[in-house]
Amino acid sequence: DAYELKTSINHKPLIDQNSNGLIGFHFQNKDQGALGEEEGHLERTKTNSFALFVLENFNFESFDLDVGGRIESVNLKNTDHENGFFPGAFSSTIKTELVPNNTVFAGFDFTQRAPNPVELYANGPHHALENFENGEITLNKESSYNFSLGYNYEKDLNKVKIEVYYNYIDDFIAADRDGATVEVEGEDFNNVIHDQYNAIFTGAELSGQYGIAKIDNFDLISNLTIDFLKGYRTSNDKALSRIPQSKINAGLQVLNDNWDANLNY
């Protein structure tokens, strides 16, 4: 069961270049567990979080700047354990239009994440994944430093976006198989442990769409997305398990004022 409340208040510009901004509050309450005969890997756990966030947009003569911040309190509690964390986050993007319809942008994000109940308290078989999951009560919050650089083209229905990024994560929380198996109801389940180590993710994304034709009042649009990602542990350059190296998505869209139909592969 999950309950969530999120509210924000817009404010007037603080300075001439401040086009708009807001401050907000975010509350989440989650009751989570898996204790049935088939799934018995997580004791019922309550998670409460309170967060304050700010988002500001600035428009200067030669560039636009977006900045945001968030501070949060997260508390996780079950019958035997209670853990508290205070993650924070900061995000920024600067962009400028080189020539009409062509924009370049750069971004920096610092994000912290508290461990979730499975990572902390799991202790039992997870049949859906055929894993025997072991939580680690001493996990700390993870901290991510992300740098990105990209290019945008947009004119009418035609769009192209290219972005490359480098993401270093301090105390990355990983669910790794340790090579052992655990017998569960006559089957061998992979033994999964939760651990922390430093990791790096590098990647590139290409996406775009092109207006092929206009038939009556309908626009026929093609789209393509390509995503390449590499994630590895910094101490030994070992690739992280269950991280897809590449994804490709292609599609067609038929669009008018009242209809929007998509076919994706």
Side-chain angles (χ1 to χ4, degrees):
D1 295 325
Y3 302 89
E4 184 174 10
L5 170 67
K6 190 174 184 179
T7 182
S8 61
I9 300 174
N10 295 335
H11 64 72
K12 293 182 178 180
L14 303 176
I15 58 176
D16 291 341
Q17 294 83 3
N18 183 204
S19 57
N20 57 74
L22 60 83
I23 58 175
F25 172 77
H26 191 192
F27 166 74
Q28 296 179 87
N29 177 279
K30 181 182 289 187
D31 192 351
Q32 178 181 355
L35 293 174
E37 293 182 2
E38 294 299 326
E39 300 288 348
H41 67 286
L42 180 63
E43 182 181 352
R44 188 171 180 176
T45 303
K46 290 183 178 292
T47 304
N48 286 301
S49 69
F50 304 85
L52 294 173
F53 59 90
V54 178
L55 176 64
E56 301 292 339
N57 307 111
F58 298 92
N59 304 119
F60 299 93
E61 289 186 7
S62 57
F63 64 90
D64 295 334
L65 175 65
D66 299 332
V67 294
R70 176 183 172 101
I71 55 174
E72 186 176 11
S73 173
V74 182
N75 182 265
L76 302 97
K77 184 178 182 180
N78 62 20
T79 304
D80 300 316
H81 303 285
E82 183 172 4
N83 295 75
F85 304 91
F86 296 92
F90 170 80
S91 179
S92 63
T93 301
I94 185 171
K95 57 185 177 181
T96 184
E97 189 176 50
L98 299 176
V99 294
N101 308 314
N102 293 265
T103 303
V104 295
F105 63 90
F108 168 73
D109 303 292
F110 168 73
T111 307
Q112 292 182 315
R113 182 181 75 86
N116 63 45
V118 172
E119 293 164 339
L120 287 171
Y121 307 135
N123 183 25
H126 190 168
H127 287 257
L129 299 178
E130 295 187 350
N131 289 334
F132 191 95
E133 298 187 348
N134 302 272
E136 176 51 61
I137 193 68
T138 62
L139 292 177
N140 299 313
K141 60 188 177 185
E142 64 178 26
S143 299
S144 167
Y145 304 82
N146 187 73
F147 301 88
S148 60
L149 183 65
Y151 161 80
N152 264 329
Y153 169 81
E154 184 171 351
K155 185 177 181 181
D156 300 326
L157 295 175
N158 303 322
K159 300 178 182 178
V160 175
K161 180 180 180 181
I162 303 171
E163 183 173 3
V164 295
Y165 60 88
Y166 173 91
N167 189 4
Y168 171 79
I169 302 181
D170 186 41
D171 282 339
F172 174 69
I173 300 175
D176 291 333
R177 298 171 179 173
D178 66 357
T181 59
V182 178
E183 184 177 341
V184 178
E185 298 177 0
E187 298 183 43
D188 289 332
F189 280 20
N190 294 299
N191 195 54
V192 173
I193 60 173
H194 288 87
D195 195 8
Q196 285 190 296
Y197 44 76
N198 298 336
I200 290 177
F201 295 85
T202 57
E205 300 176 4
L206 168 65
S207 61
Q209 69 176 42
Y210 177 70
I212 300 174
K214 192 174 186 68
I215 304 173
D216 293 331
N217 292 324
F218 288 90
D219 289 301
L220 180 61
I221 304 168
S222 64
N223 56 69
L224 176 70
T225 302
I226 300 174
D227 181 13
F228 174 77
L229 170 66
K230 181 180 180 183
Y232 57 93
R233 188 171 179 169
T234 59
S235 60
N236 55 15
D237 288 337
K238 182 180 179 181
L240 298 179
S241 61
R242 293 180 290 177
I243 300 296
Q245 296 298 306
S246 60
K247 292 180 287 186
I248 298 177
N249 181 74
L252 290 173
Q253 181 181 20
V254 179
L255 178 70
N256 73 357
D257 292 338
N258 301 310
W259 292 87
D260 184 358
N262 297 273
L263 177 65
N264 292 292
Y265 175 76

